[in-house]
Amino acid sequence: MKPLTREQMAWRAAQDLPEGAFVNLGIGIPTLAASYVPADREVIFHSENGILGLGAKPEPGMEDENLIDAGKNYTTLITGGVFVHHADAFLMIRGGHLDVSLLGAFEVSEAGDLANWTTEDPAFPPGVGGAMDLAVGAKEIRVIMDHTDKKGNPRILRHCSLPLTAAGCVKRIYTNLAVIDVTPHGLFVVEMVDGMTLEKLQAITEPELQLANSWQALAPPAAIAA
Amino acid sequence: MKPLTREQMAWRAAQDLPEGAFVNLGIGIPTLAASYVPADREVIFHSENGILGLGAKPEPGMEDENLIDAGKNYTTLITGGVFVHHADAFLMIRGGHLDVSLLGAFEVSEAGDLANWTTEDPAFPPGVGGAMDLAVGAKEIRVIMDHTDKKGNPRILRHCSLPLTAAGCVKRIYTNLAVIDVTPHGLFVVEMVDGMTLEKLQAITEPELQLANSWQALAPPAAIAA
Amino acid sequence: MIDKQVKTLADAVAGVKDGATVLVAGFGAVGVADDLLEALHEQGARDLVIVANNAGNGDHGLARLLNSGRVRKVICSYPRSGDYSAFLNAYRAKTLELELVPQGTISERMRCHAAGLGGFFSPVSAGTKLADGKETREIDGRLHVFEKPLKGDIALLRADKADRWGNLTYIKSARNFNPVMAMAADLSVVQVNEMVELGSLDPEAVVTPSIFVDRVVVVGANP
Amino acid sequence: MIDKQVKTLADAVAGVKDGATVLVAGFGAVGVADDLLEALHEQGARDLVIVANNAGNGDHGLARLLNSGRVRKVICSYPRSGDYSAFLNAYRAKTLELELVPQGTISERMRCHAAGLGGFFSPVSAGTKLADGKETREIDGRLHVFEKPLKGDIALLRADKADRWGNLTYIKSARNFNPVMAMAADLSVVQVNEMVELGSLDPEAVVTPSIFVDRVVVVGANP
């Protein structure tokens, strides 16, 4: 059984972004998803600092000092993209104008509660950024995260142990082992990596998992960086 | 004793608009004030439909069908003027960004209450337009109106008889007979037309008037249309 | 490939249901999507709630909907504008409900919905008849009225140029309510003078970004 | 003749009082008025409350004010950005108060003040630690938090071009917080790359209208 790499997780999430969707990609793995949108689809990426139509990383030497993304990395604007001011960028987020918000997370509960803004490390000041705005506003909130923490403890929990970002918001979780839908009837596994079983997955997941009737293999194409 | 004409009232109000002021002119007599700003002063007029930098009426034949003022008359944009959308135009109004809002009125009370939106004529639907927004937002609210109604009854009252537009907002009243300041210590006559006395003015004004120590003649130059 | 352009005015207003709330942009006769309003008349939806600054002029566009008895309620600031006989007749016949809202409050309530907020306190109308029955609160010594978000099922908009994504620019004061109504409806439909190539609108000068627009129809240059 | 241009950075920040609330535009290092921040350091005001998205980088601009002990409180969404050692040291020494606000709520609270409103209900942060102690209300079945307007005594802004009235345009993502902060301060001060003739900015494409701007200083082209 081979867990997905970060790139493969991003690839998987990207496959679910439909033609014409407006999407915000959170900092970290979600950002990588931009590269894996199928070539025949137009998906428009939103950046909280005021960009609608975020493009790829600029070629070396082509960086524009006035053009950065939410992660403060140099970026580009695609044809048709526009600039807006900050309050309008968050009106788009909070007002349900984005089709998908793809976020990183520390923990997700079986009710779809999301914890992704603080680990409560007393040595450092907390920072929330746009996490809470992104977690309430989009038409659909999806999470990308490793299935367990570094010690192998579950991150999909009955109740989040860390402070919440927002309650009951997550609809789909992409992990390095599975794709799981959060529904009013519980958590449904819709895809698992080759060699994974519901039993093994359940062992590293706190709340009860059910296998969707239509479940299938989670199998990125060989070309996606391993 | 010669009451001021509409043009002369507008002229008088215009003299108080300082260099660099942002001003909204209400429909009716206030609109006329734009023509009487002293030539050496730059005053920037705001129109509620989304214009900052309203200009003069266009020359005949030069009307632009996409450029009207709040009174729905053709207008022009002065050099430096810009267009904004409606919510931003009213953010300017309500948020205290305008220096002066110059309004018409039916009645003003001694406390500065303003009634200028409805006469409660049952035969017609009420209309409020931007009256209530304009009456609360500007740094200073000033009124232009005839001193009495057509029957000679006072329009400056102890309490407004018509429904209020906003309470306690008016700071200065320009009538066809006088200029009156509304202060926490009562109404002060700061200017009167030639031949007017405090006694005569009081007879057509409901609340008590006081004569400002520094009062002077209200005397438009002969050139202003009589 | 994203392409929001539809071929006909009928396509542009397809699917409007009876009882729908329709945001009608424009101020006076400027920036009004008259052709979309005529198309909505053809489409036939009834029992409509109209949100607009004014309440129709003559017997075309919004006034025609009023004259045809398609409108249940008008939310506006100033019905008495131009030839408003269509409104006046229905108002006097008591076949039409009027919700009179201060002009800035109309657009702010729509922006409130657009921004995903639950309502706001405004000093406008506090202490007046138009605040009757509304929740009030004193904030920093000043009376405020609680105003609720206002959303449309459909917005009928008029712009100058659009690209295939639906980015929009306007002409002068025809901008007025269009940008805020575009943000506040589930379905935003716009009639434009001209379609332009994607990328030909200045990214710094697009007024309504594509995310707020669903359907675009070209009606030809202004008369 | 209106002319908002001042000659020096010192003129631009003249009069800032101890205890002032300073709106500091920018996102990361982009669109930040670094020269105005340095001038404010020279000017000497203390006990400042800073509103910004981040909390300074290295030892220049905002970070320098922090290192010099001029700041009493920071209202921001994400202090941990870049080299934020200036903030971290003061935070650990407990000489600095932090009010952590969700990013969109910062700009919305400033817009709320700018729009003359008394506060709004937002679903953001409802049910979380950041809503502790805040008034809540269920609206349409969803929990909301009451948020108050946020105003600045002064805003330190950075734009690309200005005219003598103070109309402004920006470059790309350097727009960020600048337009909303320009609207939300009693005194809005902007450093620009270039002054242009009145009338040379497109009236359809000015992002910050002159009414929101008080002083303009030219600092030269971007490095």
Side-chain angles (χ1 to χ4, degrees):
Chain A
M1 190 207 67
K2 211 161 149 195
L4 302 195
T5 61
R6 290 159 52 94
E7 297 284 341
Q8 289 170 328
M9 290 162 75
W11 166 84
R12 178 60 193 87
Q15 304 318 298
D16 287 343
L17 301 177
E19 166 76 7
F22 290 90
V23 177
N24 186 290
L25 300 178
I27 294 168
I29 307 181
T31 300
L32 304 176
S35 317
Y36 297 111
V37 175
D40 59 347
R41 282 189 216 163
E42 269 191 315
V43 171
I44 301 175
F45 293 106
H46 168 277
S47 186
E48 66 195 28
N49 55 325
I51 307 171
L52 193 67
L54 200 66
K57 217 196 268 204
E59 298 295 320
M62 298 297 287
E63 295 86 357
D64 181 328
E65 60 168 4
N66 285 302
L67 188 45
I68 62 168
D69 64 17
K72 284 139 194 167
N73 301 304
Y74 290 118
T75 188
T76 55
L77 187 76
I78 63 171
T79 299
V82 302
F83 300 104
V84 299
H85 69 57
H86 191 269
D88 278 349
F90 276 79
L91 176 152
M92 292 176 188
I93 291 174
R94 206 177 35 231
H97 304 284
L98 296 172
D99 296 291
V100 179
S101 170
L102 196 58
L103 294 163
F106 302 133
E107 299 173 348
V108 177
S109 84
E110 63 181 324
D113 296 351
L114 171 67
N116 77 345
W117 73 278
T118 181
T119 56
E120 297 204 297
D121 183 337
F124 293 97
V128 65
M132 289 189 181
D133 307 88
L134 287 163
V136 306
K139 292 195 185 80
E140 183 143 332
I141 313 291
R142 300 173 188 165
V143 156
I144 304 185
M145 66 176 187
D146 282 341
H147 204 93
T148 64
D149 69 16
K150 282 168 192 166
K151 297 176 190 161
N153 297 315
R155 299 171 78 176
I156 301 175
L157 303 171
R158 280 199 194 87
H159 301 283
C160 293
S161 67
L162 292 169
L164 290 195
T165 306
C169 62
V170 178
K171 293 290 175 289
R172 174 165 274 201
I173 310 167
Y174 305 97
T175 80
N176 52 344
L177 302 174
V179 178
I180 297 172
D181 281 349
V182 182
T183 82
H185 308 292
L187 301 177
F188 283 82
V189 178
V190 295
E191 295 183 19
M192 292 187 290
V193 294
D194 186 41
M196 177 55 73
T197 65
L198 185 66
E199 208 166 27
K200 284 197 274 185
L201 198 65
Q202 183 67 72
I204 50 173
T205 308
E206 204 181 74
E208 189 195 351
L209 296 175
Q210 302 172 67
L211 196 59
N213 289 332
S214 58
W215 82 276
Q216 51 189 357
L218 173 48
I224 307 302
Chain B
M1 188 205 72
K2 211 163 147 193
L4 302 194
T5 61
R6 290 159 52 95
E7 297 285 340
Q8 289 170 328
M9 292 162 73
W11 166 85
R12 177 61 194 87
Q15 304 317 300
D16 287 343
L17 301 177
E19 165 78 6
F22 290 89
V23 177
N24 186 289
L25 300 178
I27 294 168
I29 306 181
T31 300
L32 304 175
S35 317
Y36 297 111
V37 174
D40 60 345
R41 283 189 216 162
E42 270 192 315
V43 172
I44 302 174
F45 293 105
H46 168 276
S47 186
E48 65 195 27
N49 55 323
I51 306 170
L52 194 67
L54 201 64
K57 217 196 270 201
E59 297 296 319
M62 299 297 288
E63 296 85 357
D64 182 329
E65 59 169 3
N66 285 301
L67 188 46
I68 62 168
D69 64 17
K72 284 139 194 168
N73 301 304
Y74 290 117
T75 189
T76 56
L77 187 77
I78 62 171
T79 299
V82 302
F83 300 104
V84 300
H85 67 59
H86 191 270
D88 279 350
F90 275 80
L91 176 151
M92 292 176 189
I93 291 174
R94 207 176 33 231
H97 304 284
L98 296 172
D99 297 291
V100 179
S101 170
L102 196 58
L103 294 163
F106 301 133
E107 300 173 346
V108 177
S109 84
E110 64 182 324
D113 296 350
L114 172 67
N116 77 345
W117 74 277
T118 180
T119 56
E120 296 203 297
D121 183 338
F124 293 97
V128 66
M132 290 190 180
D133 308 88
L134 287 162
V136 306
K139 293 194 184 83
E140 183 143 331
I141 313 291
R142 301 173 188 165
V143 157
I144 304 186
M145 65 176 187
D146 281 341
H147 204 93
T148 62
D149 68 16
K150 283 168 190 165
K151 298 176 188 162
N153 297 314
R155 300 171 79 176
I156 302 175
L157 303 171
R158 283 201 191 85
H159 301 283
C160 292
S161 68
L162 292 170
L164 290 194
T165 307
C169 61
V170 177
K171 293 288 176 288
R172 174 165 275 203
I173 310 167
Y174 303 98
T175 80
N176 50 343
L177 301 174
V179 177
I180 298 172
D181 281 349
V182 182
T183 82
H185 308 292
L187 301 178
F188 283 82
V189 178
V190 295
E191 295 182 19
M192 291 186 292
V193 293
D194 187 42
M196 178 55 75
T197 64
L198 184 66
E199 209 166 28
K200 283 196 274 184
L201 198 64
Q202 183 68 71
I204 50 172
T205 308
E206 203 181 78
E208 190 196 348
L209 295 176
Q210 302 172 64
L211 196 58
N213 289 332
S214 57
W215 82 276
Q216 52 188 359
L218 172 48
I224 306 301
Chain C
M1 196 180 84
I2 300 168
D3 188 358
K4 294 181 183 169
Q5 186 176 2
V6 296
K7 290 211 172 103
T8 68
L9 285 160
D11 294 339
V13 299
V16 180
K17 295 197 176 120
D18 291 352
T21 296
V22 184
L23 310 183
V24 177
F27 185 95
V30 175
V32 182
D34 281 313
D35 300 279
L36 289 173
L37 283 159
E38 292 291 330
L40 181 58
H41 189 272
E42 294 306 306
Q43 190 265 351
R46 328 195 123 256
D47 209 26
L48 301 172
V49 175
I50 300 291
V51 180
N53 188 50
N54 304 117
N57 196 4
D59 182 34
H60 63 281
L62 176 51
R64 191 155 168 238
L65 287 168
L66 288 162
N67 275 334
S68 299
R70 300 286 180 71
V71 179
R72 174 170 66 79
K73 179 176 176 179
V74 171
I75 301 174
C76 77
S77 84
Y78 203 73
R80 297 163 68 166
S81 183
D83 166 13
Y84 70 111
S85 55
F87 176 89
L88 188 60
N89 293 336
Y91 180 79
R92 287 181 171 165
K94 298 191 195 301
T95 57
L96 186 68
E97 187 186 342
L98 168 65
E99 180 180 337
L100 195 70
V101 180
Q103 193 181 144
T105 302
I106 298 181
S107 51
E108 193 62 25
R109 284 179 60 194
M110 290 189 287
R111 184 194 175 274
C112 180
H113 168 73
L117 303 174
F120 59 89
F121 285 99
S122 170
V124 175
S125 88
T128 77
K129 274 181 67 166
L130 291 191
D132 281 355
K134 290 190 180 172
E135 175 186 346
T136 59
R137 181 180 293 201
E138 196 168 301
I139 298 172
D140 286 337
R142 194 172 195 198
L143 193 65
H144 286 68
V145 176
F146 186 61
E147 297 287 355
K148 293 177 182 163
L150 179 58
K151 77 157 234 183
D153 295 300
I154 183 170
L156 302 183
L157 310 169
R158 182 171 191 153
D160 180 35
K161 294 185 171 71
D163 60 30
R164 64 179 173 83
W165 284 9
N167 288 308
L168 304 179
T169 59
Y170 303 92
I171 303 179
K172 301 180 181 176
S173 73
R175 186 183 299 197
N176 61 58
F177 281 89
N178 283 287
V180 69
M181 287 183 170
M183 303 191 299
D186 288 345
L187 183 74
S188 291
V189 180
V190 57
Q191 72 172 75
V192 299
N193 298 319
E194 191 187 348
M195 291 297 292
V196 298
E197 278 298 305
L198 194 70
S200 68
L201 298 174
D202 178 357
E204 307 275 9
V206 164
V207 176
T208 293
S210 58
I211 194 169
F212 300 120
V213 176
D214 298 290
R215 296 177 188 162
V216 180
V217 63
V218 179
V219 175
N222 278 336
Chain D
M1 194 179 84
I2 300 168
D3 189 359
K4 294 180 183 169
Q5 185 175 2
V6 296
K7 291 213 170 103
T8 68
L9 285 160
D11 294 339
V13 299
V16 180
K17 294 196 175 120
D18 291 352
T21 297
V22 185
L23 310 183
V24 177
F27 185 96
V30 175
V32 181
D34 281 312
D35 300 279
L36 290 173
L37 284 159
E38 293 291 330
L40 181 59
H41 189 273
E42 293 308 304
Q43 190 264 353
R46 328 193 124 259
D47 208 27
L48 301 172
V49 175
I50 300 290
V51 180
N53 189 49
N54 304 118
N57 196 6
D59 182 33
H60 63 281
L62 176 53
R64 191 154 168 239
L65 286 168
L66 288 162
N67 275 334
S68 298
R70 301 285 181 73
V71 180
R72 174 169 67 78
K73 180 175 175 178
V74 172
I75 300 174
C76 77
S77 83
Y78 203 72
R80 297 162 69 168
S81 183
D83 166 15
Y84 70 111
S85 55
F87 176 89
L88 189 61
N89 293 336
Y91 181 80
R92 285 181 172 164
K94 298 191 196 303
T95 57
L96 187 68
E97 187 185 343
L98 168 65
E99 179 180 339
L100 195 71
V101 179
Q103 194 181 144
T105 302
I106 298 181
S107 50
E108 193 62 25
R109 284 179 59 194
M110 290 188 288
R111 184 194 176 277
C112 181
H113 169 74
L117 303 174
F120 58 89
F121 285 99
S122 171
V124 175
S125 87
T128 76
K129 275 181 66 164
L130 291 191
D132 282 355
K134 290 190 180 170
E135 175 186 346
T136 59
R137 181 181 293 201
E138 197 168 301
I139 299 172
D140 286 339
R142 193 173 195 195
L143 193 66
H144 286 70
V145 176
F146 185 61
E147 298 287 354
K148 292 177 181 161
L150 178 58
K151 78 155 236 184
D153 295 301
I154 184 171
L156 303 183
L157 311 169
R158 182 169 192 155
D160 180 36
K161 294 184 171 68
D163 59 31
R164 65 180 172 82
W165 284 10
N167 288 308
L168 305 179
T169 59
Y170 303 92
I171 304 178
K172 300 179 180 177
S173 72
R175 185 182 302 196
N176 60 58
F177 281 89
N178 283 286
V180 70
M181 287 182 169
M183 303 191 300
D186 288 345
L187 184 73
S188 291
V189 180
V190 57
Q191 73 172 75
V192 299
N193 298 320
E194 190 187 347
M195 291 298 291
V196 298
E197 278 299 305
L198 193 70
S200 69
L201 298 174
D202 178 357
E204 307 275 9
V206 164
V207 176
T208 294
S210 57
I211 195 169
F212 300 121
V213 176
D214 298 290
R215 296 177 188 164
V216 181
V217 63
V218 178
V219 176
N222 279 334

